[in-house]
Amino acid sequence: MASQEEIKFLSNPALGQQRKKYCRFRKFGIKHIDYKDPDFLIQFVNEQGKLLPRRITGNSLKYQRRVATAVKRARHLAMLPFSTDLLK
Amino acid sequence: MKQYEVTFIVDPVLSADEIKSTAKNYTDLVVHESGKVVHVDEIGLRQLAYGINKRNTGIYYSIEFQSEAGALIPKMELAMKRDERILRFLTVHLDKYGVKYNDDKRNGKIGKRSKDKKKENAEE
């Protein structure tokens, strides 16, 4: 039988595997999300200005809620649009 | 002493000293009402994400202040509501992480967003 090393794969076996998602707030120890800083909040908003779900951003529940309140406050202060077509 | 932060947008059509006097007016109000102004941050002229009564730009101010009794807040908000020079305002209570974030930001510990994470990381 061919030993382990000799087996050649047509394509990289780990191709489809998903990178392990992590909550960046817990990993980098960010405790406060500033609602006045739209460049940071834009990462959590899609092209139409809508909030991205947790399964996409990978945030933990606690920080996803804080991001949501920060984005809503930024929208109130016209730093982020309520809805637009090409945001990024 | 609870720490609050009020961010408001001033009408850009006014003259420069008119805008300064608006901000000054509210800092004086805080001091007058026995609150303590921690920091007045003039974020300056910014493009608004959507039009607010026929204006597309605005001058952002953010005043951080401390006050025990919350009596200061309704008075200030009432004054801001009546003031036509102010397009929009938002008062927020800061928790200890918020206070720490703002102090760090002032001391330049938190740089640009990309550095934000590394700096935060190094700091923690």
Side-chain angles (χ1 to χ4, degrees), chain A residues 35-36 43 75-78, chain B residues 5 7 49-50 60 88 113:
Chain A
Y35 60 91
K36 302 195 293 295
Q43 300 165 41
R75 284 177 180 160
H76 175 71
L77 282 173
Chain B
E5 181 186 47
T7 315
Y50 50 85
Y60 282 75
R88 196 158 287 190
R113 183 184 55 75

Side-chain angles (χ1 to χ4, degrees), chain A residues 40-56:
Chain A
F40 181 62
L41 294 176
I42 269 192
Q43 300 165 41
F44 305 104
V45 156
N46 69 5
E47 292 76 33
Q48 282 123 28
K50 293 157 84 169
L51 267 163
L52 288 173
R54 262 178 72 205
R55 54 186 165 81
I56 310 274

Side-chain angles (χ1 to χ4, degrees), chain A residues 24 27-41 43 66 73-82, chain B residues 5 7 9 43 46-50 52 60 62 88-90 92 94-95 97-98 101 105 112-113 117 120-121 124:
Chain A
R24 66 175 70 193
K27 186 147 193 272
F28 295 123
I30 300 172
K31 284 280 187 307
H32 175 73
I33 302 163
D34 195 10
Y35 60 91
K36 302 195 293 295
D37 169 12
D39 323 336
F40 181 62
L41 294 176
Q43 300 165 41
R66 292 195 184 169
R73 284 180 180 159
R75 284 177 180 160
H76 175 71
L77 282 173
M79 287 183 170
L80 280 179
F82 278 96
Chain B
E5 181 186 47
T7 315
I9 314 173
I43 303 167
R46 259 183 69 89
Q47 194 68 25
L48 298 182
Y50 50 85
I52 301 179
Y60 282 75
S62 133
R88 196 158 287 190
F89 62 92
L90 176 73
V92 156
L94 287 178
D95 55 8
Y97 296 118
Y101 178 86
K105 192 145 205 210
K112 267 300 298 156
R113 183 184 55 75
K117 285 203 206 66
E120 286 284 330
N121 198 350
E124 289 308 310

Side-chain angles (χ1 to χ4, degrees), chain B residues 97-108:
Chain B
Y97 296 118
V99 175
K100 181 172 171 310
Y101 178 86
N102 283 344
D103 296 345
D104 291 349
K105 192 145 205 210
R106 271 197 295 282
N107 317 340

Side-chain angles (χ1 to χ4, degrees), chain A residues 53-69:
Chain A
R54 262 178 72 205
R55 54 186 165 81
I56 310 274
T57 58
N59 289 341
S60 61
L61 180 59
K62 173 178 173 181
Y63 288 103
Q64 175 73 11
R65 284 190 183 140
R66 292 195 184 169
V67 163
T69 51

